[in-house]
Amino acid sequence: MLPEHLSLSHCPQGLDIPYFISLYNEHLLTTQDGGMGFIAPMAIAAIPDDKRPSACLHCHSCEQVCPQTIKISDMMSDFVEKIG
């Protein structure tokens, strides 16, 4: 997982990227066999609109400091598509 200080300080939107990666992974696991995957949508609904994955600017600032070279911008887009 991305160390919190790296992602939060490099995201111009101040998005909680480690938390979103965790929710994204949870959602993928709970929906892979036709499951409902309700935790991530509920968690995202509790976050202000300007701090949700949909607020990602796709500027790649977080990717430049990600030690795991995760394509976070692509993940955010996929996450938004999956949770609606």
Side-chain angles (χ1 to χ4, degrees):
M1 185 154 62
L2 194 60
E4 188 170 327
H5 69 280
L6 290 179
S7 59
L8 294 178
S9 65
H10 284 80
C11 178
Q13 296 292 88
L15 303 182
D16 191 346
I17 295 167
Y19 181 57
F20 292 148
I21 290 173
S22 176
L23 283 177
Y24 178 75
N25 288 334
E26 182 277 331
H27 193 69
L28 291 179
L29 286 172
T30 58
T31 58
Q32 70 183 359
D33 293 325
M36 298 294 289
F38 64 90
I39 294 172
M42 286 178 52
I44 296 298
I47 298 171
D49 289 346
D50 65 334
K51 297 298 180 188
R52 294 181 183 182
S54 58
C56 176
L57 299 174
H58 305 287
C59 66
H60 307 280
S61 293
C62 55
E63 294 173 6
Q64 293 172 9
V65 296
C66 179
Q68 296 175 340
T69 63
I70 298 170
K71 298 205 180 296
I72 297 168
S73 296
D74 292 344
M75 183 211 68
M76 293 290 214
S77 294
D78 190 48
F79 196 18
V80 169
E81 184 179 308
K82 288 183 183 333
I83 62 171

